[in-house]
Amino acid sequence: MVNKSYKTGKLIKFYSEFYFLEFCQFFIKLLPLKAAYKFMAFWGILAYYLDKHHRMRTIQHMMHAGIAKDLKSAKKLAMKNFIFISKICVEIIVFDKYLTPENIGDHMEWDITPEIKEVMHDPKGMILASAHYGNWEIAGLASSVLVRPIVSVMRPLDNPFVGKRLKEKRMMFNQELCDKKNALKALLKALRKGKAVGILSDQHAGGQEGVDTIFFGHPAKTHVTPAFLHFKTGAPLILGVAQRVGDLKYRFVARGPFTVEKTGNEMQDLQKLTQMFTTELEKIISENPEQWVWAHRRWLDINR
């Protein structure tokens, strides 16, 4: 629902953005998939040159993490990253054109261990920590059909009209959504019903939401909710991302399950468990760094 307190200027901005994106979606859906990729790649390259703020932050973060050793290699990788994100935008737009509950398994291969395969059907539910890597939107959709119903956390977008459209796409199949504000209660309820819960855990987590971790050798605050839910319910905790391997083709890469023996020091236990899946995410990103969204603010010793 649109907040009635929005001023006229803001509403005009919201409607302008919404209808521009609606037109872009309509146009892209008319194109063959290959042509849509090429069309959006052009806009990805254009965004790289015009969006100085995100371009510089992406380059800066790649060098800060040690993924790129010098400015030249960082710029080259950052360009790849912008183009990659443009492809993900195409795929999110055309999900409802190409994907159905019946065929989504044909678009997903699996990189999981026998231990993870076993906990995917644990009666206590499952906690899926994920990231803005590969195609994060397909991760929840595929899990909801191929594993079990999933409840994912969604932060409201600044533009409520765009947010409503994205919400519709995320709820195409068996995925349910809960607002970030009241997420904990909804996630606990979902786990009690044996469902999976999905949490994007790769962005900076301020306040009580985060614990201290090391990410690519630098201090970072990481969301503690996955670890908290694991200790609270006993539900298995895994890290899972949908790595892009081709046009509308993905590999579900999962690591874990993660657990630590309780020591009586709750914060220490939460920190240790959170560091475990954070370290595994770092390894996954390192293999295909162009597939992670580097423009997000992430570390405590840069962009504060």
Side-chain angles (χ1 to χ4, degrees), residues 227-246:
F228 174 81
L229 290 172
H230 171 70
F231 285 133
K232 185 76 173 177
T233 67
L237 167 61
I238 70 169
L239 171 71
V241 295
Q243 184 182 79
R244 189 178 186 275
V245 294

